[in-house]
PDB file of all heavy atoms in Angstrom:
ATOM      1  N   PRO A 252      24.024  88.956 -18.832  1.00 90.00           N
ATOM      2  CA  PRO A 252      24.298  87.538 -18.855  1.00 90.00           C
ATOM      3  C   PRO A 252      24.935  87.055 -17.555  1.00 90.00           C
ATOM      4  O   PRO A 252      25.512  87.846 -16.810  1.00 90.00           O
ATOM      5  CB  PRO A 252      25.283  87.404 -20.064  1.00 90.00           C
ATOM      6  CG  PRO A 252      25.950  88.717 -20.125  1.00 90.00           C
ATOM      7  CD  PRO A 252      24.899  89.755 -19.673  1.00 90.00           C
ATOM      8  N   ILE A 253      24.876  85.769 -17.347  1.00 89.00           N
ATOM      9  CA  ILE A 253      25.566  85.207 -16.152  1.00 89.00           C
ATOM     10  C   ILE A 253      26.880  84.604 -16.618  1.00 89.00           C
ATOM     11  O   ILE A 253      27.056  84.234 -17.731  1.00 89.00           O
ATOM     12  CB  ILE A 253      24.644  84.128 -15.479  1.00 89.00           C
ATOM     13  CG1 ILE A 253      24.436  82.965 -16.436  1.00 89.00           C
ATOM     14  CG2 ILE A 253      23.362  84.726 -15.026  1.00 89.00           C
ATOM     15  CD1 ILE A 253      23.664  81.829 -15.796  1.00 89.00           C
ATOM     16  N   SER A 254      27.807  84.532 -15.672  1.00 90.00           N
ATOM     17  CA  SER A 254      29.138  84.049 -16.027  1.00 90.00           C
ATOM     18  C   SER A 254      29.185  82.544 -15.713  1.00 90.00           C
ATOM     19  O   SER A 254      28.800  82.075 -14.671  1.00 90.00           O
ATOM     20  CB  SER A 254      30.193  84.755 -15.149  1.00 90.00           C
ATOM     21  OG  SER A 254      31.472  84.177 -15.352  1.00 90.00           O
ATOM     22  N   ILE A 255      29.633  81.799 -16.723  1.00 92.00           N
ATOM     23  CA  ILE A 255      29.861  80.355 -16.521  1.00 92.00           C
ATOM     24  C   ILE A 255      31.313  79.982 -16.801  1.00 92.00           C
ATOM     25  O   ILE A 255      31.633  78.839 -17.116  1.00 92.00           O
ATOM     26  CB  ILE A 255      28.915  79.488 -17.426  1.00 92.00           C
ATOM     27  CG1 ILE A 255      29.187  79.844 -18.909  1.00 92.00           C
ATOM     28  CG2 ILE A 255      27.451  79.746 -17.098  1.00 92.00           C
ATOM     29  CD1 ILE A 255      28.536  78.836 -19.856  1.00 92.00           C
ATOM     30  N   SER A 256      32.162  80.955 -16.711  1.00 92.00           N
ATOM     31  CA  SER A 256      33.618  80.718 -16.946  1.00 92.00           C
ATOM     32  C   SER A 256      34.127  79.677 -15.969  1.00 92.00           C
ATOM     33  O   SER A 256      33.697  79.587 -14.811  1.00 92.00           O
ATOM     34  CB  SER A 256      34.418  82.011 -16.751  1.00 92.00           C
ATOM     35  OG  SER A 256      33.961  83.002 -17.655  1.00 92.00           O
ATOM     36  N   PRO A 257      34.969  78.802 -16.428  1.00 91.00           N
ATOM     37  CA  PRO A 257      35.538  77.761 -15.577  1.00 91.00           C
ATOM     38  C   PRO A 257      36.210  78.391 -14.322  1.00 91.00           C
ATOM     39  O   PRO A 257      36.809  79.483 -14.410  1.00 91.00           O
ATOM     40  CB  PRO A 257      36.593  77.056 -16.416  1.00 91.00           C
ATOM     41  CG  PRO A 257      36.143  77.281 -17.847  1.00 91.00           C
ATOM     42  CD  PRO A 257      35.529  78.677 -17.800  1.00 91.00           C
ATOM     43  N   ARG A 258      36.082  77.720 -13.217  1.00 90.00           N
ATOM     44  CA  ARG A 258      36.651  78.232 -11.984  1.00 90.00           C
ATOM     45  C   ARG A 258      38.188  78.252 -12.124  1.00 90.00           C
ATOM     46  O   ARG A 258      38.799  77.305 -12.591  1.00 90.00           O
ATOM     47  CB  ARG A 258      36.292  77.351 -10.793  1.00 90.00           C
ATOM     48  CG  ARG A 258      34.773  77.340 -10.454  1.00 90.00           C
ATOM     49  CD  ARG A 258      34.540  76.601  -9.193  1.00 90.00           C
ATOM     50  NE  ARG A 258      33.153  76.625  -8.802  1.00 90.00           N
ATOM     51  CZ  ARG A 258      32.305  75.642  -9.017  1.00 90.00           C
ATOM     52  NH1 ARG A 258      32.720  74.576  -9.661  1.00 90.00           N
ATOM     53  NH2 ARG A 258      31.058  75.720  -8.650  1.00 90.00           N
ATOM     54  N   GLU A 259      38.762  79.377 -11.696  1.00 91.00           N
ATOM     55  CA  GLU A 259      40.198  79.497 -11.744  1.00 91.00           C
ATOM     56  C   GLU A 259      40.795  78.863 -10.445  1.00 91.00           C
ATOM     57  O   GLU A 259      40.303  79.180  -9.355  1.00 91.00           O
ATOM     58  CB  GLU A 259      40.615  80.954 -11.878  1.00 91.00           C
ATOM     59  CG  GLU A 259      40.289  81.567 -13.198  1.00 91.00           C
ATOM     60  CD  GLU A 259      41.065  80.937 -14.315  1.00 91.00           C
ATOM     61  OE1 GLU A 259      42.242  80.476 -14.108  1.00 91.00           O
ATOM     62  OE2 GLU A 259      40.561  80.924 -15.476  1.00 91.00           O
ATOM     63  N   PRO A 260      41.816  78.086 -10.567  1.00 94.00           N
ATOM     64  CA  PRO A 260      42.398  77.486  -9.381  1.00 94.00           C
ATOM     65  C   PRO A 260      43.138  78.551  -8.529  1.00 94.00           C
ATOM     66  O   PRO A 260      43.631  79.554  -9.047  1.00 94.00           O
ATOM     67  CB  PRO A 260      43.416  76.492  -9.920  1.00 94.00           C
ATOM     68  CG  PRO A 260      43.724  76.940 -11.295  1.00 94.00           C
ATOM     69  CD  PRO A 260      42.512  77.652 -11.801  1.00 94.00           C
ATOM     70  N   GLN A 261      43.145  78.352  -7.248  1.00 95.00           N
ATOM     71  CA  GLN A 261      43.829  79.226  -6.331  1.00 95.00           C
ATOM     72  C   GLN A 261      45.153  78.592  -5.909  1.00 95.00           C
ATOM     73  O   GLN A 261      45.213  77.352  -5.686  1.00 95.00           O
ATOM     74  CB  GLN A 261      42.979  79.516  -5.080  1.00 95.00           C
ATOM     75  CG  GLN A 261      41.641  80.183  -5.431  1.00 95.00           C
ATOM     76  CD  GLN A 261      40.794  80.353  -4.197  1.00 95.00           C
ATOM     77  OE1 GLN A 261      41.104  79.896  -3.129  1.00 95.00           O
ATOM     78  NE2 GLN A 261      39.659  81.064  -4.366  1.00 95.00           N
ATOM     79  N   ARG A 262      46.168  79.413  -5.754  1.00 96.00           N
ATOM     80  CA  ARG A 262      47.497  78.920  -5.370  1.00 96.00           C
ATOM     81  C   ARG A 262      47.581  78.700  -3.863  1.00 96.00           C
ATOM     82  O   ARG A 262      47.241  79.632  -3.099  1.00 96.00           O
ATOM     83  CB  ARG A 262      48.581  79.871  -5.873  1.00 96.00           C
ATOM     84  CG  ARG A 262      48.652  79.973  -7.401  1.00 96.00           C
ATOM     85  CD  ARG A 262      49.850  80.767  -7.811  1.00 96.00           C
ATOM     86  NE  ARG A 262      51.105  80.225  -7.420  1.00 96.00           N
ATOM     87  CZ  ARG A 262      51.748  79.278  -8.123  1.00 96.00           C
ATOM     88  NH1 ARG A 262      51.219  78.830  -9.252  1.00 96.00           N
ATOM     89  NH2 ARG A 262      52.913  78.808  -7.740  1.00 96.00           N
ATOM     90  N   TYR A 263      48.061  77.550  -3.460  1.00 97.00           N
ATOM     91  CA  TYR A 263      48.239  77.226  -2.060  1.00 97.00           C
ATOM     92  C   TYR A 263      49.640  76.632  -1.865  1.00 97.00           C
ATOM     93  O   TYR A 263      50.311  76.227  -2.866  1.00 97.00           O
ATOM     94  CB  TYR A 263      47.215  76.216  -1.566  1.00 97.00           C
ATOM     95  CG  TYR A 263      45.832  76.746  -1.399  1.00 97.00           C
ATOM     96  CD1 TYR A 263      44.949  76.772  -2.461  1.00 97.00           C
ATOM     97  CD2 TYR A 263      45.398  77.208  -0.165  1.00 97.00           C
ATOM     98  CE1 TYR A 263      43.600  77.265  -2.314  1.00 97.00           C
ATOM     99  CE2 TYR A 263      44.135  77.715   0.031  1.00 97.00           C
ATOM    100  CZ  TYR A 263      43.251  77.711  -1.045  1.00 97.00           C
ATOM    101  OH  TYR A 263      41.961  78.191  -0.865  1.00 97.00           O
ATOM    102  N   THR A 264      50.146  76.643  -0.648  1.00 97.00           N
ATOM    103  CA  THR A 264      51.360  75.985  -0.281  1.00 97.00           C
ATOM    104  C   THR A 264      51.092  74.992   0.812  1.00 97.00           C
ATOM    105  O   THR A 264      50.513  75.340   1.837  1.00 97.00           O
ATOM    106  CB  THR A 264      52.406  76.976   0.185  1.00 97.00           C
ATOM    107  OG1 THR A 264      52.776  77.862  -0.913  1.00 97.00           O
ATOM    108  CG2 THR A 264      53.705  76.259   0.633  1.00 97.00           C
TER     109      THR A 264
END
Side-chain angles (χ1 to χ4, degrees):
I253 63 174
S254 174
I255 61 168
S256 301
R258 295 186 178 99
E259 291 294 331
Q261 299 176 355
R262 295 186 63 84
Y263 287 88
T264 297

